[in-house]
Amino acid sequence: ICGIQHLERAGNRLTLFDSLYFCIVTFSTVGFGDVTPKIWPSKLLVVIMICVALVVLPIQFEQLAYLWMERQKSGGNYSRYRAQTEKHVVLCVSSLKIDLLMDFLNEFYAHPRLQDYYVVILCPTEMDAQVRRVLQIPMWSQRVIYLQGSALKDQDLLRAKMDNAEACFILSSRCEVDRTAADHQTILRAWAVKDFAPNCPLYVQILKPENKFHIKFADHVVCEEEFKYAMLALNCICPATSTLITLLVHTSRGQESQQSPEQWQKMYGRCSGNEVYHISLEESTFFAEYEGKSFTYASFHAHKKFGVCLIGVRKEDNKNILLNPGPRYIMSSTDICFYINITKEENSAFKKQEKHRKTHESKLSYHGASRLPVHSIIASMGTVAIDLQDTGCRGGSAATLALPAEAGREGRRPSIAPVLEVADSSSLPSCDLLSDQSEDETAPADDEVSAGLEYAKGYPPYSPYIGSSPTFCHLLHEKVPFCCLRLDKGCQHNYYEDAKAYGFKNKLIIVAAETAGNGLYNFIVPLRAYYRPKKELNPIVLLLDNPPDMHFLDAICWFPMVYYMVGSIDK
């Protein structure tokens, strides 16, 4: 407008209003022709502006139309007719980040039964550019509906048709700065949803363990801190447990790192595709032939034949899954088998094998049994790759599975002990997995008594928060005075001022943290559980930036060999 008016001072001497009128008439493609530029510079400007407008304006109009439609959709309703005829779930979040959204959608739609479900997202904030870009992809735009609203308002829950939903997921962002405030918002949302739709199954993610108590009515609660510290503790017993479980619970096609020049990265990427699947025994090609055989036999031979790892079973009339039930369990046709494999059996292709198999398999040795700390493995009973005489459950008789006689003549033991089809009660020691005693505790050695290793067994008398799962642990007969918990300062009871002075027999486990949160309690409990032999207990030192409060010290003072000191891992 200003350009036309300025240039036409040498021609028509248009006013600013005449220039405005000319631009609107021209760019709206009406073109009355009563006002026209007279000189060539102004005509050239009009030509350039028309060319620019032909490119820019359609893009702007398209974005405006899309924003208007999205605004209408996010402020609209999920159809009641659609809610009654098609299945949908509701995802409630305080703010939707792209990583949280993609994690949820990829894992939710990984299950074949959920392909026809719709996901309704209820979020109080507008979606950012990244989320908008993802939801424009046809794969998601047809199945994901974004509604802007709050789960604390009944009218917004009504818009999402929460009362007709198959489930409601209430999630928190992993990178919350104020985790307590995030949990408070989660608790309020869970209460509001339960009040509005009491029959809707509720799946809640909470960050801090002390807040679990407020949402105990939810069908499923996952506490991030509790789970994280328990995984770290298991890493101390069996390294990389957390990596194993993380890879098993995340959906992966096993295509990661296949372009890498490193062989281990290719192997890692391919094997990350392993997941847990289940199938009925009578319908399975993997396991049908093992009906009437022992679980150990089925697991061993299914792995040898198909490369699948049978880890548990569930009886038809029972909801509980039996993980590694051992050689006494006999497989039934109605059992549901749980196994780890790259792909589920229904998607596997089977090739007929030659009768004469290559003999190089028999030459492969498994030397791990002698080096593994067998008593450290929680589920050592029934593990086929470990010789049965090495497990922590020995009976009065020394009878074990006999090794082949010719092994002695060859001068070396076979790598794997034979696995019987059905457990022979005469050769298997009687063993109760839930008994309070393990091999080294039935009769304490003299040096243990002299060293004062006679711990009691029981449930910790004091928990730092309501809702912690009671675990049978090694405990002290009397609680330690708070002054003795401090590793780096002596007191009237002892004069030790560093770890070396204590003369610990086992290596220390050092935990560096800013503060002693209640989640740390879940790190200590698995490392002091009753099934851990006393002579294998590692001292635990909490290296804290800030001094712990009295409630936390009250909780840890009953555990043996748990200390703290104030300091930083940087120093």
Side-chain angles (χ1 to χ4, degrees):
I1 293 166
C2 293
I4 294 291
Q5 192 264 344
H6 176 71
L7 293 172
E8 277 298 310
R9 286 190 301 172
N12 283 349
R13 303 188 71 81
L14 297 177
T15 64
L16 196 62
F17 178 77
D18 288 336
S19 181
L20 169 66
Y21 169 75
F22 167 75
C23 288
I24 290 175
V25 168
T26 303
F27 288 109
S28 63
T29 67
V30 176
F32 289 124
D34 52 344
V35 178
T36 56
K38 297 296 183 187
I39 58 174
W40 73 266
S42 51
K43 289 179 181 178
L44 180 63
L45 177 65
V46 171
V47 170
I48 294 170
M49 290 308 297
I50 287 173
C51 292
V52 170
L54 284 174
V55 176
V56 174
L57 287 180
I59 296 172
Q60 297 293 326
F61 283 133
E62 184 188 15
Q63 289 182 346
L64 279 171
Y66 175 75
L67 278 173
W68 182 80
M69 287 168 63
E70 284 299 314
R71 192 68 58 82
Q72 287 291 102
K73 201 188 290 182
S74 63
N77 295 340
Y78 185 67
S79 160
R80 174 67 68 183
Y81 171 77
R82 199 172 177 183
Q84 290 173 343
T85 55
E86 294 170 343
K87 295 178 178 179
H88 77 286
V89 299
V90 180
L91 171 63
C92 297
V93 287
S94 54
S95 61
L96 192 61
K97 303 296 181 190
I98 189 67
D99 57 343
L100 186 147
L101 176 67
M102 293 317 299
D103 275 350
F104 179 83
L105 292 179
N106 286 329
E107 297 301 333
F108 184 79
Y109 283 115
H111 201 292
R113 289 187 190 172
L114 302 178
Q115 297 303 313
D116 297 332
Y117 280 62
Y118 288 87
V119 174
V120 178
I121 300 171
L122 190 61
C123 180
T125 59
E126 281 195 33
M127 55 176 144
D128 60 25
Q130 281 183 308
V131 172
R132 183 176 289 115
R133 208 172 297 125
V134 166
L135 294 186
Q136 285 176 332
I137 299 170
M139 182 170 68
W140 304 126
S141 64
Q142 302 300 320
R143 300 194 277 189
V144 181
I145 295 146
Y146 189 95
L147 299 180
Q148 188 175 344
S150 171
L152 301 179
K153 295 179 181 176
D154 279 1
Q155 60 264 39
D156 288 336
L157 293 175
L158 194 61
R159 285 169 53 212
K161 303 298 179 284
M162 185 69 78
D163 48 337
N164 284 111
E166 299 294 316
C168 174
F169 297 88
I170 302 176
L171 305 184
S172 306
S173 175
R174 286 190 293 260
C175 47
E176 292 284 357
V177 178
D178 190 344
R179 298 168 78 82
T180 303
D183 275 354
H184 291 170
Q185 292 179 8
T186 300
I187 292 164
L188 289 173
R189 284 196 197 95
W191 286 350
V193 170
K194 193 66 179 176
D195 184 54
F196 182 84
N199 296 323
C200 179
L202 205 52
Y203 297 80
V204 183
Q205 177 199 0
I206 209 86
L207 299 176
K208 297 179 79 66
E210 59 266 29
N211 296 320
K212 275 172 58 182
F213 172 72
H214 302 293
I215 49 169
K216 62 178 182 179
F217 54 81
D219 297 76
H220 297 275
V221 178
V222 175
C223 176
E224 191 198 77
E225 269 191 25
E226 200 171 61
F227 191 71
K228 180 174 69 178
Y229 281 114
M231 285 291 98
L232 287 172
L234 285 177
N235 277 347
C236 299
I237 300 169
C238 182
T241 306
S242 62
T243 308
L244 170 72
I245 292 177
T246 304
L247 291 175
L248 282 178
V249 300
H250 275 83
T251 302
S252 166
R253 292 185 353 199
Q255 303 296 322
E256 292 83 357
S257 306
Q258 292 310 298
Q259 307 304 319
S260 171
E262 296 287 342
Q263 189 59 37
W264 72 268
Q265 286 185 344
K266 288 182 181 179
M267 171 71 77
Y268 183 89
R270 188 171 72 252
C271 295
S272 68
N274 277 298
E275 290 178 55
V276 181
Y277 301 101
H278 68 276
I279 192 168
S280 174
L281 183 96
E282 56 189 350
E283 298 171 5
S284 171
T285 308
F286 289 156
F287 310 114
E289 61 186 282
Y290 306 119
E291 182 183 348
K293 308 286 198 309
S294 70
F295 175 87
T296 307
Y297 183 88
S299 179
F300 178 83
H301 286 278
H303 185 269
K304 195 174 178 183
K305 191 172 181 181
F306 298 108
V308 300
C309 182
L310 178 65
I311 58 169
V313 289
R314 189 182 74 213
K315 285 187 173 294
E316 188 181 29
D317 54 349
N318 198 340
K319 288 185 178 179
N320 293 329
I321 299 170
L322 303 173
L323 283 179
N324 191 10
R328 291 185 180 277
Y329 185 88
I330 305 302
M331 307 293 286
S332 167
S333 62
T334 56
D335 286 349
I336 304 295
C337 300
F338 291 84
Y339 62 96
I340 298 173
N341 197 22
I342 293 286
T343 182
K344 60 181 180 176
E345 183 181 315
E346 293 89 334
N347 297 344
S348 302
F350 297 95
K351 295 179 181 176
K352 290 186 178 179
Q353 297 286 333
E354 295 291 332
K355 287 185 179 179
H356 302 291
R357 304 193 55 147
K358 294 182 181 177
T359 57
H360 77 276
E361 287 180 9
S362 62
K363 296 178 183 176
L364 295 175
S365 300
Y366 175 82
H367 300 297
S370 58
R371 290 199 294 264
L372 278 173
V374 180
H375 307 301
S376 299
I377 298 169
I378 297 167
S380 60
M381 261 309 287
T383 308
V384 295
I386 297 172
D387 299 336
L388 286 176
Q389 60 264 35
D390 284 340
T391 59
C393 301
R394 293 185 186 174
S397 66
T400 55
L401 289 177
L403 295 168
E406 57 267 19
R409 290 199 296 271
E410 291 180 10
R412 66 175 190 139
R413 297 175 56 199
S415 57
I416 298 177
V419 181
L420 300 182
E421 290 188 24
V422 181
D424 180 8
S425 57
S426 63
S427 65
L428 266 181
S430 60
C431 174
D432 180 11
L433 288 178
L434 298 176
S435 67
D436 291 353
Q437 294 186 337
S438 59
E439 175 204 0
D440 64 327
E441 287 148 13
T442 50
D446 293 338
D447 59 337
E448 282 189 9
V449 176
S450 62
L453 285 180
E454 273 303 288
Y455 304 135
K457 285 186 181 178
Y459 296 103
Y462 185 85
S463 170
Y465 61 93
I466 300 172
S468 64
S469 304
T471 306
F472 212 59
C473 294
H474 291 294
L475 300 173
L476 297 167
H477 290 286
E478 294 181 1
K479 72 175 188 176
V480 176
F482 291 171
C483 57
C484 296
L485 292 174
R486 186 82 185 249
L487 181 83
D488 55 334
K489 288 191 177 178
C491 64
Q492 59 184 359
H493 307 98
N494 72 59
Y495 303 103
Y496 303 147
E497 293 190 353
D498 59 38
K500 193 174 286 186
Y502 282 85
F504 296 126
K505 291 184 178 179
N506 294 332
K507 290 185 177 181
L508 271 70
I509 293 173
I510 302 172
V511 187
E514 286 186 22
T515 55
N518 291 326
L520 266 178
Y521 178 76
N522 295 291
F523 181 87
I524 297 170
V525 166
L527 296 174
R528 292 293 176 265
Y530 78 98
Y531 48 75
R532 303 270 300 126
K534 285 181 293 190
K535 60 186 178 188
E536 288 186 13
L537 297 183
N538 298 82
I540 300 171
V541 178
L542 309 177
L543 183 58
L544 307 171
D545 289 356
N546 304 301
D549 58 23
M550 293 301 164
H551 295 295
F552 183 77
L553 294 179
D554 255 336
I556 68 169
C557 66
W558 290 93
F559 294 107
M561 292 191 294
V562 177
Y563 307 92
Y564 79 93
M565 59 180 282
V566 178
S568 170
I569 200 169
D570 301 328
K571 297 178 183 174

